[in-house]
Amino acid sequence: MRRIFLSLASVAALALAGCSGGSDNNGQQAAAGGSDNAAPANANAVTGTVALRDAGAQLSPDAKLELKLVDVSAEGSQPLASKTIQPVTLPQQFQLDFNPSDLNPNDMYIVEVSLQDGERHYSSPLKTPVLTKGAKNVANIQLVGEATPGEKELAGFNSVKKNIGGMKVTQGTALKEGESRGWQIFKKGNDVQFVIELVDYGDKGFTSTNYAYKNGKPWVIVQEKKPSKDSKPTSIERAGWNDVGELVLKQNEAGGKVDVLSDDAVGDLKKQAEAMYAKGGGKK
């Protein structure tokens, strides 16, 4: 009888265990089902990351990231949320919290991103909808660097330089103690557009300078300094002005580094450019 009792007790225990296990599984399934039906924890926020398309680009500690959650269907409307992040660590995670009552389900929303690092501005060429019309509340954004104002002027300068072969050209030379100078002046009609000047200072070095002009004024100047005519440049100085006369390009490239060109050096280049313009038949 004892053995039978133990067997029945064991069977009962196993049955209870089976009932208990079934209850746990049902509870887990109910919990999982409840999680699927519940609103996400960040339903009242847009989250995501911001990265640069050029993964090798480096930001300075002064870089500033601005994010706005905007309604692109309602022009001039206030952002639902905004945030400024500084310093910036890429890829940069973000969260924009908003008031759900401000959301219009019939409108379209995007995360507007702007990154400024010195003169360099980064923006997103692609706009990713969020929140409404079936869009998610997650936005992973890639930014692309735009040309700086100085780079834009330098690109225009290089374009003109490629086309000087179609311009009218005059040449000249000048000699004085310790200096041999030669130049080519390129014109469209009577307007000086471009000048190439070579100056040999003997043991003191050699300079090769390109001057470009707009509306009778210095536009972009690039001067290479070398130990001799056939040597590689030891430094390259660049200065340039935009259409309203603002100095937007001032660089001194030397030893593989690009630094800001001093105001005195910019002034010297501008005087040289004005002198060459006068020599070419332009006004002083």
Side-chain angles (χ1 to χ4, degrees), residues 165-258:
M167 300 181 190
K168 181 173 65 176
V169 59
T170 59
Q171 303 184 47
T173 59
L175 294 172
K176 68 178 185 179
E177 185 68 28
E179 178 183 301
S180 174
R181 189 179 297 264
W183 61 84
Q184 291 180 307
I185 298 171
F186 300 86
K187 293 182 178 181
K188 276 187 177 180
N190 293 320
D191 295 330
V192 177
Q193 301 286 306
F194 206 91
V195 174
I196 298 175
E197 182 186 37
L198 306 177
V199 184
D200 192 342
Y201 297 98
D203 294 339
K204 294 182 179 180
F206 187 94
T207 63
S208 172
T209 311
N210 291 175
Y211 307 94
Y213 302 87
K214 271 188 181 180
N215 302 318
K217 296 180 180 179
W219 169 34
V220 176
I221 307 162
V222 178
Q223 184 171 90
E224 295 182 351
K225 295 182 178 180
K226 312 176 183 181
S228 62
K229 179 180 178 181
D230 298 323
S231 301
K232 293 182 178 179
T234 54
S235 70
I236 304 175
E237 296 180 350
R238 303 180 184 93
W241 295 261
N242 62 17
D243 290 342
V244 296
E246 297 171 334
L247 180 64
V248 294
L249 175 64
K250 48 183 206 175
Q251 294 179 347
N252 179 35
E253 182 178 345
K257 294 178 60 178
V258 177

Side-chain angles (χ1 to χ4, degrees), residues 100-217:
S101 64
D102 294 334
L103 196 68
N104 185 338
N106 297 316
D107 287 355
M108 182 176 289
Y109 297 85
I110 65 167
V111 177
E112 192 175 87
V113 182
S114 175
L115 175 62
Q116 192 71 39
D117 188 12
E119 293 186 332
R120 180 82 60 199
H121 182 259
Y122 296 84
S123 62
S124 175
L126 299 177
K127 307 301 180 186
T128 304
V130 293
L131 297 173
T132 59
K133 301 181 183 294
K136 298 180 179 180
N137 58 342
V138 176
N140 295 317
I141 299 166
Q142 280 197 334
L143 301 180
V144 176
E146 301 173 2
T148 67
E151 287 171 343
K152 290 177 182 178
E153 301 303 331
L154 192 58
F157 163 88
N158 288 329
S159 179
V160 171
K161 185 177 179 179
K162 288 179 181 179
N163 292 287
I164 59 176
M167 300 181 190
K168 181 173 65 176
V169 59
T170 59
Q171 303 184 47
T173 59
L175 294 172
K176 68 178 185 179
E177 185 68 28
E179 178 183 301
S180 174
R181 189 179 297 264
W183 61 84
Q184 291 180 307
I185 298 171
F186 300 86
K187 293 182 178 181
K188 276 187 177 180
N190 293 320
D191 295 330
V192 177
Q193 301 286 306
F194 206 91
V195 174
I196 298 175
E197 182 186 37
L198 306 177
V199 184
D200 192 342
Y201 297 98
D203 294 339
K204 294 182 179 180
F206 187 94
T207 63
S208 172
T209 311
N210 291 175
Y211 307 94
Y213 302 87
K214 271 188 181 180
N215 302 318
K217 296 180 180 179

